[in-house]
């Protein structure tokens, strides 16, 4: 039993170390040697837990999918779910992952979404902020997000995490438009891409150098975006995109 627990803890340390490597360098430039060096173990010892880089990446992608499911579940978005904060090993990169005793990839470690109203625009804002908090606080989720982006760039789109997030955002934009709470200055796809770009910006180096809290920054930006989306609309007055959407040419 003691041996099994030690093996489990080591496996979690390996996942944390791999998460930092994948999040920082992407799939192509992450190596088993780099993960082993971060842990201070031999490559052979690491292979005892994960036989290849592909298996490490697959475990982190599963974690990302499970985290995304929790983030956009009705209970989480409504603010009623209270999963624990991300484990200490998934925060800042470095040797801090060494002593991590975090739950496995199927455990509930996603940060809770902020409370949202019942309307689709409220849900969209809650989702944006929950994603940003996940990327800021959880290295495993950052790694899954980066790996999903790498997969898209290499042509692997089936079941992709980022495409799933984008589709969900587009659906909320469509619902908000149908409810008459926003004006479609451009297509729902463009709005979803803009929001995804804002979420990705929480990892911006310039925000860090300016000593700005990235999630606080995004909350401010979301308030501005919400005003722009809501401009000229009133509840119960569904609208459609202009004949020449402002951003469709981009």
């Amino acid at each position: 039993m003691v041996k099994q627990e030690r093996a489990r803890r080591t496996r979690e340390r390996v996942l944390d170390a791999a998460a930092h490597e994948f999040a920082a360098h992407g799939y192509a430039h992450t190596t088993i040697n780099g993960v082993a060096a971060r842990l201070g173990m031999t490559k052979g010892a690491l292979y005892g837990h994960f036989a290849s880089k592909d298996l490490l990446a697959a475990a982190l992608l599963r974690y990302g999918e499970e985290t995304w499911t929790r983030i956009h579940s009705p209970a989480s978005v409504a603010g009623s779910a209270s999963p624990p904060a991300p484990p200490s090993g998934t925060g800042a990169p470095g040797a801090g992952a060494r002593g991590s005793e975090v739950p496995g990839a199927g455990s509930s470690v996603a940060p809770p979404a902020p409370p949202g109203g019942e309307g689709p625009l409220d849900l969209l804002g809650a989702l944006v902020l929950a994603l940003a908090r996940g990327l800021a606080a959880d290295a495993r989720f950052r790694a899954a997000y980066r790996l999903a982006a790498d997969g898209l760039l290499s042509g692997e789109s089936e079941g992709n995490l980022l495409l799933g997030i984008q589709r969900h955002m587009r659906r909320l934009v469509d619902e908000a438009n149908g409810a008459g709470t926003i004006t479609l200055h451009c297509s729902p796809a463009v709005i979803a891409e803009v929001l995804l770009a804002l979420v990705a910006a929480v990892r911006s180096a310039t925000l860090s150098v300016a000593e700005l809290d990235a999630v606080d920054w995004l909350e401010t930006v979301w308030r501005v975006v919400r005003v722009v989306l809501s401009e000229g609309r009133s509840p119960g007055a569904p609208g459609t995109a202009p004949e020449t959407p402002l951003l469709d040419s981009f």
Side-chain angles (χ1 to χ4, degrees):
M1 184 66 70
V2 173
K3 184 176 181 180
Q4 290 178 342
E5 178 62 16
R6 186 183 302 117
R8 184 194 68 79
R9 293 182 182 182
T10 301
R11 183 181 186 279
E12 300 305 330
R13 288 175 51 210
V14 171
L15 277 175
D16 284 341
H20 289 300
E21 291 291 309
F22 281 122
H25 308 299
Y27 180 83
H29 299 291
T30 292
T31 65
I32 290 292
N33 281 334
V35 176
R38 179 179 284 272
L39 288 164
M41 66 167 51
T42 66
K43 186 166 67 171
L46 191 152
Y47 278 135
H49 299 276
F50 291 93
S52 69
K53 184 171 76 168
D54 282 350
L55 290 177
L56 272 172
L60 290 167
L61 283 169
R62 283 195 301 272
Y63 176 90
E65 291 286 353
E66 291 161 1
T67 300
W68 162 238
T69 297
R70 289 190 295 274
I71 284 177
H72 78 285
S73 69
S76 180
V77 174
S80 60
S82 300
S88 59
T90 62
R98 180 180 296 273
S100 174
E101 299 179 13
V102 302
S107 303
S108 178
V109 300
E118 295 182 356
L121 191 56
D122 295 305
L123 296 178
L124 184 62
L127 176 64
V128 167
L129 295 177
L131 285 170
R133 287 179 175 140
L135 288 176
D138 189 343
R140 292 192 193 183
F141 188 56
R142 284 198 302 276
Y145 205 90
R146 175 71 184 268
L147 287 167
D150 289 350
L152 280 180
L153 291 174
S154 64
E156 301 169 6
S157 59
E158 185 174 352
N160 188 275
L161 171 65
L162 287 182
L163 289 182
I165 293 172
Q166 186 211 46
R167 281 192 295 269
H168 190 73
M169 285 183 167
R170 290 174 64 177
R171 184 161 55 249
L172 289 174
V173 172
D174 278 330
E175 290 174 4
N177 180 57
T181 54
I182 67 171
T183 300
L184 284 181
H185 296 290
C186 51
S187 70
V190 170
I191 293 173
E193 286 303 320
V194 169
L195 294 177
L196 283 172
L198 289 174
V199 168
V202 299
R203 304 299 300 160
S204 168
T206 56
L207 287 174
S208 178
V209 170
E211 298 184 346
L212 295 174
D213 182 275
V215 178
D216 288 345
W217 169 84
L218 185 54
E219 285 191 77
T220 301
V221 173
W222 168 250
R223 287 195 290 270
V224 174
V225 171
R226 183 184 177 116
V227 169
V228 173
L229 290 175
S230 304
E231 184 180 14
R233 303 307 308 166
S234 59
T240 57
E243 288 186 9
T244 307
L246 296 180
L247 297 180
D248 272 2
S249 60
F250 288 84

